[in-house]
Amino acid sequence: RNGYPYEYEMLDWKGAGLNCQTTLRLSKMPKLHSSSFIKKLGIIQPIDQINVRNILKAILSGVK
């Protein structure tokens, strides 16, 4: 979606083991306990890890 700077469209969603294009909404970070998860769907790949880390740094520093 345009105008949502903290949404990230994964580049290597297939490499992560996901079945379809995936967008991460990083502006909403709920506090979840590990028991809230049923199963692991995939593993985020290095390129997406780097990009997500950079967005989270921007969020935490207050930069858009």
Side-chain angles (χ1 to χ4, degrees):
R1 301 181 306 179
N2 293 330
Y4 291 87
Y6 300 130
E7 288 191 0
Y8 175 72
E9 190 172 297
M10 289 181 62
L11 299 176
D12 192 6
W13 55 272
K14 287 182 183 178
L18 301 174
N19 294 326
C20 62
Q21 177 61 51
T22 301
T23 300
L24 306 175
R25 183 174 293 168
L26 301 171
S27 60
K28 295 187 177 188
M29 294 187 280
K31 293 181 181 180
L32 301 172
H33 189 271
S34 59
S35 64
S36 300
F37 298 93
I38 298 169
K39 67 178 181 176
K40 183 189 287 189
L41 296 176
I43 298 174
I44 190 169
Q45 297 301 293
I47 186 66
D48 291 314
Q49 288 178 20
I50 292 166
N51 291 334
V52 167
R53 187 176 294 121
N54 289 336
I55 294 169
L56 291 174
K57 283 180 186 177
I59 291 171
L60 295 174
S61 70
V63 176
K64 285 190 179 182

